[in-house]
């Protein structure tokens, strides 16, 4: 039996080492079952008095790797489905090849610690880094497996008779296209795409829907047509791929099975107009809940592998999932559904204890006794909101550093609950990749109306991942999207506070003062010509870099206060 077991383990480990370089997980702490040293125990925690957004504590966190263990600081209200009992976390993996097309500039390597968390109390392109892959990237997303969660219905639009608009004469308006009322398979998010990504849609797009199982139809809802300002920088691999299409912003309408749409052009409409109906699929199934714990479906703690001591990638994670999880393995357990919060003191201590290292554009790596960095907030990982890693292109693309954060609204409407936020994210993700032809989710982070923070584009939350959010200024910046539309509605205080907490930590990792300024070189756009050096606030609105309404005037007006709060979290004020 011993001989058989040894042979089985040898074969399994050999399989792990044979994973493709572009998709396998990076090195992390080593599980003791593999016969290598365990991580050092962490120091006891203390939580300082600091401004907090909400009063509810977070759920129990998984084991952490690469930082001191979390204490339960006050955090934004957790998702309603989060578990109320502690869950066992899987052992982390080590020795696997790098996940990225090329290694990003490393941030300080944090001291490795491992400790079980306590239970919760209740429920321009020339400036781009040399880490960009040398060869051309894949033109499209990875081919989907037949069992992918969610789906997209793509329906071609056609000319509409004048009677659709109440004219009653039956004439066809050549400047109007759409679809009359019809039954369709269930969906929750809508958008319109067309063939040429450089062709703008000047006009209006309106839809109305019927709730699944219902009889009544909604009122007409406007779909934001100005979406070209969100996307990859021109002249980058992602910005020139043949899969790109023109697209409106997506609109969340909730679970529906009937649709009607009309598109009226003030100028000739783009060719190839199609209505995209996106079904996000079911929320992630719970992962081995503890005995007596409620059956939760969102952001559940990761379960232990079925075979103790084996790497998580061999215990149910695909290679793509292992890659997306592995880039965060210094911050949390491999395969975890969230990255736990750290107090400011423990965040600072981890930075001070990091081994000396010269890191370009990351002066915090060699900071003095009191580095200006905010407490790390809790971040729900891609696994936590159910991102299917087979949709996106393989590998990750990085820029040199993070100099500024651009704040956006998703323009998907405010008709969602916080428990639906993961579904909204999966819908936007599928729309960005399958409908619009992007390589991945566009934004680096997302924030919902309850202040929950989510990992967006894959590549590691602490790393300078190149996004597709602020056309012309994605290089050396990060994008944060608040789920909703804030042109007329005020953003919730919890969401604004979450932006401050996230920027205090992430900008702090790169030595940036949230109340300071940053200089970025335009990659091209409708406000600044390519090659123009532009001065931005370190926390800027999308409209600062592009002629757009985003992030909505009501959210944009909150940014001065956000900068001050973020600086306070960093200890600068």
């Amino acid at each position: 039996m011993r001989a058989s077991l040894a042979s089985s383990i040898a074969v399994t480990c050999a399989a792990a080492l044979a994973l493709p370089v572009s998709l396998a997980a990076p090195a992390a702490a080593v599980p003791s079952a593999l016969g290598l040293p365990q991580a050092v125990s962490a120091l006891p925690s203390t939580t300082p008095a600091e401004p907090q957004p909400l009063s509810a504590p977070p759920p129990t966190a998984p084991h952490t790797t690469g930082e001191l263990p979390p204490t339960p600081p006050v955090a934004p209200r957790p998702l309603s489905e989060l578990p109320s009992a502690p869950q066992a976390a899987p052992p982390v993996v080590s020795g696997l090849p790098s996940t990225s097309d090329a290694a990003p500039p490393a941030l300080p390597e944090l001291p490795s610690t491992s400790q079980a968390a306590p239970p919760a109390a209740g429920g321009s392109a020339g400036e781009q880094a040399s880490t960009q892959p040398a060869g051309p990237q894949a033109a499209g997303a990875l081919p989907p497996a037949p069992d992918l969660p969610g789906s997209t219905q793509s329906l071609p639009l056609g000319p509409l008779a004048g009677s659709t608009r109440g004219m009653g004469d039956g004439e066809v308006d050549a400047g109007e296209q759409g679809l009359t009322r019809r039954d369709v398979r269930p969906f929750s998010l809508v958008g319109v795409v067309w063939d040429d990504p450089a062709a703008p849609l000047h006009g209006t797009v309106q839809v109305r829907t019927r709730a699944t199982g219902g009889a009544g139809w909604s009122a007409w809802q406007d779909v934001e047509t100005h979406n070209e300002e969100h996307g990859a920088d021109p002249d980058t691999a992602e910005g020139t791929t043949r899969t790109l299409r023109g697209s409106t912003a997506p609109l969340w309408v909730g679970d529906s099975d009937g649709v009607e749409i009309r598109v009226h052009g003030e100028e000739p409409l783009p060719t190839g107009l199609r209505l995209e109906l996106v079904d996000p699929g079911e929320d992630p199934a719970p992962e081995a809940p503890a005995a007596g714990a409620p059956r939760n479906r969102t952001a559940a703690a990761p379960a232990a592998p079925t075979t103790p001591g084996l790497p998580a990638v061999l215990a149910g994670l695909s290679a793509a999932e292992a890659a997306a999880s592995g880039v965060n393995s210094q911050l949390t357990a491999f395969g975890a559904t969230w990255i736990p919060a750290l107090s400011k003191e423990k965040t600072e201590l981890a930075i001070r204890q990091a081994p000396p290292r010269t890191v370009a554009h990351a002066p915090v790596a060699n900071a003095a006794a009191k580095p200006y960095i905010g407490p790390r907030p809790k971040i729900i990982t891609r696994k936590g909101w159910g991102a299917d890693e087979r949709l996106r292109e393989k590998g990750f693309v990085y820029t040199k550093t993070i100099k500024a954060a651009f704040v956006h609204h998703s323009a998907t409407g405010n008709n969602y609950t916080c428990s639906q936020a993961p579904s909204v994210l999966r819908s936007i993700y599928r729309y960005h990749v399958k409908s619009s032809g992007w390589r991945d989710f566009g934004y680096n982070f997302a924030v919902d109306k309850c202040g929950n923070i989510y990992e967006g584009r894959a590549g590691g939350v602490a790393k300078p991942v190149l996004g597709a959010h602020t056309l012309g200024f994605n290089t050396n910046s990060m994008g944060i999207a608040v789920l909703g539309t804030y042109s007329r509605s005020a953003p919730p205080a919890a969401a604004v506070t979450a932006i401050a907490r996230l920027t205090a930590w992430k900008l702090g990792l790169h030595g940036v003062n949230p109340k300071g300024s940053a200089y970025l070189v335009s990659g091209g756009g409708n406000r600044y010509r390519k090659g123009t050096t532009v001065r931005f606030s370190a926390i800027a609105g999308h409209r600062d870099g592009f002629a757009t309404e985003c992030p909505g005037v009501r959210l944009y007006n909150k940014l001065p206060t956000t900068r001050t709060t973020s600086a306070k979290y960093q200890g600068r004020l």
Side-chain angles (χ1 to χ4, degrees), residues 19-177:
L19 286 171
V21 171
S22 63
L23 295 178
V30 180
S32 59
L34 295 181
L36 296 173
Q38 297 185 15
V40 181
S41 295
L43 299 175
S45 62
T46 58
T47 303
E50 56 183 71
Q52 300 290 347
L54 294 172
S55 58
T60 301
H63 289 68
T64 61
T65 304
E67 294 201 19
L68 294 175
T71 55
V74 179
R77 188 174 77 195
L79 297 173
S80 59
E81 292 88 356
L82 291 177
S84 58
Q87 306 280 341
V92 291
V93 187
S94 80
L96 297 179
S98 169
T99 62
S100 61
D101 294 325
L107 287 169
E109 200 167 302
L110 304 179
S112 177
T113 61
S114 179
Q115 178 174 318
S124 89
E127 198 178 356
Q128 194 166 314
S130 59
T131 55
Q132 177 90 9
Q137 297 179 7
L142 295 174
D147 60 343
L148 279 178
S151 62
T152 301
Q153 303 172 68
S154 186
L155 308 177
L157 303 188
L160 286 173
S163 57
T164 303
R165 296 178 359 214
M167 296 173 62
D169 55 11
E171 293 181 1
V172 172
D173 183 349
E176 187 168 67
Q177 294 186 29

Side-chain angles (χ1 to χ4, degrees), residues 519-545:
Y519 291 88
L520 300 175
V521 179
S522 173
N526 69 356
R527 186 166 184 175
Y528 298 103
R529 291 181 300 177
K530 181 178 179 179
T532 304
T533 298
V534 184
R535 180 182 178 182
F536 292 99
S537 295
I539 301 177
H542 187 184
R543 60 174 58 188
D544 294 326

Side-chain angles (χ1 to χ4, degrees), residues 131-542:
T131 55
Q132 177 90 9
Q137 297 179 7
L142 295 174
D147 60 343
L148 279 178
S151 62
T152 301
Q153 303 172 68
S154 186
L155 308 177
L157 303 188
L160 286 173
S163 57
T164 303
R165 296 178 359 214
M167 296 173 62
D169 55 11
E171 293 181 1
V172 172
D173 183 349
E176 187 168 67
Q177 294 186 29
L179 294 172
T180 56
R181 291 187 183 185
R182 64 194 57 215
D183 298 335
V184 291
R185 298 192 307 273
F187 67 96
S188 296
L189 179 140
V190 304
V192 174
V193 300
W194 53 93
D195 296 339
D196 184 0
L201 195 164
H202 294 297
T204 59
V205 176
Q206 294 181 311
V207 298
R208 55 182 172 190
T209 58
R210 182 190 61 209
T212 298
W217 287 75
S218 72
W220 287 105
Q221 299 184 72
D222 292 325
V223 178
E224 176 58 62
T225 60
H226 302 292
N227 193 50
E228 70 274 10
E229 65 267 27
H230 300 85
D233 287 350
D235 300 329
T236 62
E238 183 177 6
T240 56
T241 177
R242 289 174 298 176
T243 65
L244 286 181
R245 302 179 185 90
S247 60
T248 66
L251 176 69
W252 176 264
V253 295
D255 191 11
S256 306
D257 63 4
V259 68
E260 181 179 8
I261 182 172
R262 59 191 184 191
V263 180
H264 179 72
E266 298 170 355
E267 297 178 1
L269 292 171
T271 59
L273 288 172
R274 303 184 70 87
L275 172 64
E276 303 288 288
L277 304 176
V278 181
D279 170 20
E282 295 295 321
D283 285 345
E287 302 180 26
R295 186 171 177 82
N296 302 307
R297 290 165 57 88
T298 304
T306 55
T307 306
L310 288 181
V313 70
L314 301 179
L317 291 183
S318 69
E321 289 172 327
S325 181
V327 286
N328 290 318
S329 62
Q330 283 191 314
L331 308 180
T332 190
F334 196 93
T337 53
W338 70 82
I339 296 168
L342 286 183
S343 71
K344 178 174 175 58
E345 287 158 332
K346 289 182 7 179
T347 302
E348 291 178 352
L349 183 59
I351 294 297
R352 293 192 202 105
Q353 291 183 340
R357 171 176 288 187
T358 301
V359 182
H361 306 291
V364 75
N366 299 308
K370 186 175 178 60
Y372 289 115
I373 182 170
R376 187 182 73 197
K378 175 189 167 188
I379 303 172
I380 299 168
T381 65
R382 288 169 63 89
K383 183 175 176 63
W385 55 264
D388 193 304
E389 302 299 346
R390 294 169 293 183
L391 282 178
R392 63 173 175 84
E393 289 185 17
K394 65 180 181 179
F396 313 116
V397 181
Y398 299 92
T399 185
K400 289 181 178 179
T401 186
I402 301 297
K403 296 180 180 180
F406 285 101
V407 177
H408 306 255
H409 65 177
S410 64
T412 47
N414 303 321
N415 189 28
Y416 73 94
T417 65
C418 292
S419 63
Q420 291 176 319
S423 294
V424 177
L425 289 169
R426 292 196 304 277
S427 297
I428 296 174
Y429 174 41
R430 177 175 277 274
Y431 184 74
H432 282 177
V433 176
K434 304 299 290 183
S435 299
S436 302
W438 300 359
R439 78 184 319 272
D440 193 358
F441 190 86
Y443 309 102
N444 298 102
F445 297 93
V447 173
D448 69 23
K449 62 174 68 175
C450 291
N452 297 296
I453 301 172
Y454 302 84
E455 177 184 17
R457 178 162 291 208
V461 297
K463 300 179 185 294
V465 179
L466 181 67
H469 48 83
T470 305
L471 183 71
F473 294 103
N474 292 303
T475 297
N476 295 336
S477 73
M478 67 187 233
I480 305 169
V482 181
L483 298 181
T485 304
Y486 299 104
S487 300
R488 297 183 180 88
S489 300
V496 176
T497 301
I499 297 171
R501 291 179 63 86
L502 175 59
T503 53
W505 172 70
K506 185 64 183 279
L507 292 179
L509 286 175
H510 297 272
V512 177
N513 183 345
K515 288 180 65 67
S517 299
Y519 291 88
L520 300 175
V521 179
S522 173
N526 69 356
R527 186 166 184 175
Y528 298 103
R529 291 181 300 177
K530 181 178 179 179
T532 304
T533 298
V534 184
R535 180 182 178 182
F536 292 99
S537 295
I539 301 177
H542 187 184

